[in-house]
Amino acid sequence: MPEVERYQQGTPCWVDLSSTDIEVSKAFYSDLFGWELDGMEIGPGLTYYMAKLKGRYVAGMMQQLPDAPEGMPSYWANYLAVDSVDQAAERAVAAGGTIVFPPDEVPNGSGRMFFAADPTGAQIGFWEAGSHPGSGLVNEPGTLIWNELQTNDVPRAVAFYQAVTGCGSSTAPAGDLQEYTNLTVAGKPVAGAVKLPIEGLSPFWMTYFNVTDVDAFAEHAASLGSHVISPAFDVPGIGRMAVLMDPAGAAFSIMSRLDA
């Protein structure tokens, strides 16, 4: 179902954008996806914007923090649901991960979170829901449809996520790839893991948003100032997708599924 009230542990549940130019990002995504933005003060001079579609929150965004490393680009962060961030953080360290941001409360009782780097270097957020379970609408145009880890050592990374969240995994051919690994929860695929397509890239999580027409949306995104990293292409048995870079420099993918 596209409407979600809660997420099982190990399931991607939220994405948010850290932008080097939040005003540019707000205008771009509001136009591209039709998002309405609710601003929430989270600290002195800090505003977190909740993107809403059809009355439900679907993503977040904020200005890059002042203490971010010099030259840090804009990026979409992915979050996995956990029952306890404290216990998950302990398991993350035991599994070879590195805590980047320790477990902490989010204002207004929304939940608790921490960030870690998996043993291959990809950063991932973990979310313990309070009043905010995560994305309230998924797999609909303008909302999250898939999350994918791109890394230089898939087995090592997958072992980490299994240890932290208890998720399962399955590896099989997919599209043009001989090997594609799905992370599974209750036997169902919830995220993907694949070998980095370009040598030298740092491991990262890619965010995919659903659209009705990949070609039309890629063209519209370009007219709004985005850069096309990978033009629209078909993935046999899966759907059509494109990889874009928004005007503030954050990479993301758009996707339409064959079974949509």
Side-chain angles (χ1 to χ4, degrees), residues 199-231:
E199 196 74 27
L201 280 181
S202 297
F204 71 103
W205 278 82
M206 173 64 78
T207 301
Y208 289 75
F209 293 106
N210 178 249
V211 297
T212 52
D213 184 326
V214 169
D215 297 83
F217 268 80
E219 183 177 345
H220 184 49
S223 75
L224 297 173
S226 76
H227 170 69
V228 178
I229 298 174
S230 294

Side-chain angles (χ1 to χ4, degrees), residues 18-260:
S18 173
S19 175
T20 57
D21 191 331
I22 190 61
E23 294 304 319
V24 165
S25 298
K26 286 162 57 181
F28 174 77
Y29 288 102
S30 295
D31 192 315
L32 186 65
F33 294 138
W35 289 349
E36 298 176 9
L37 298 172
D38 290 343
M40 301 179 180
E41 297 302 317
I42 58 172
L46 296 176
T47 302
Y48 189 87
Y49 295 92
M50 299 283 280
K52 183 185 292 184
L53 198 61
K54 296 183 178 179
R56 287 179 170 260
Y57 291 127
V58 297
M61 63 177 72
M62 68 178 295
Q63 177 70 32
Q64 188 180 88
L65 294 174
D67 59 356
E70 186 175 354
M72 172 73 74
S74 301
Y75 66 93
W76 278 99
N78 289 239
Y79 295 76
L80 302 179
V82 291
D83 298 330
S84 166
V85 294
D86 298 293
Q87 294 176 15
E90 291 178 3
R91 293 194 295 267
V93 172
T98 303
I99 303 300
V100 177
F101 181 85
D104 197 11
E105 299 280 345
V106 176
N108 306 319
S110 297
R112 304 185 71 231
M113 59 166 285
F114 76 97
F115 265 91
D118 71 27
T120 71
Q123 291 196 17
I124 183 72
F126 294 89
W127 180 254
E128 177 188 336
S131 60
H132 176 61
S135 300
L137 187 69
V138 296
N139 303 331
E140 291 275 290
T143 71
L144 186 66
I145 190 171
W146 193 240
N147 309 70
E148 181 181 81
L149 171 65
Q150 299 188 11
T151 180
N152 51 22
D153 191 336
V154 172
R156 186 182 183 197
V158 168
F160 169 82
Y161 293 101
Q162 290 176 317
V164 177
T165 71
C167 68
S169 69
S170 62
T171 301
D176 295 324
L177 299 175
Q178 293 301 310
E179 285 191 356
Y180 190 90
T181 299
N182 283 308
L183 301 181
T184 61
V185 171
K188 297 181 179 180
V190 295
V194 67
K195 183 80 171 177
L196 275 166
I198 301 175
E199 196 74 27
L201 280 181
S202 297
F204 71 103
W205 278 82
M206 173 64 78
T207 301
Y208 289 75
F209 293 106
N210 178 249
V211 297
T212 52
D213 184 326
V214 169
D215 297 83
F217 268 80
E219 183 177 345
H220 184 49
S223 75
L224 297 173
S226 76
H227 170 69
V228 178
I229 298 174
S230 294
F233 60 96
D234 292 316
V235 179
I238 305 296
R240 190 164 177 79
M241 58 189 69
V243 185
L244 309 176
M245 180 180 288
D246 72 26
F252 67 103
S253 294
I254 54 176
M255 176 181 179
S256 61
R257 294 184 62 94
L258 291 176
D259 56 5

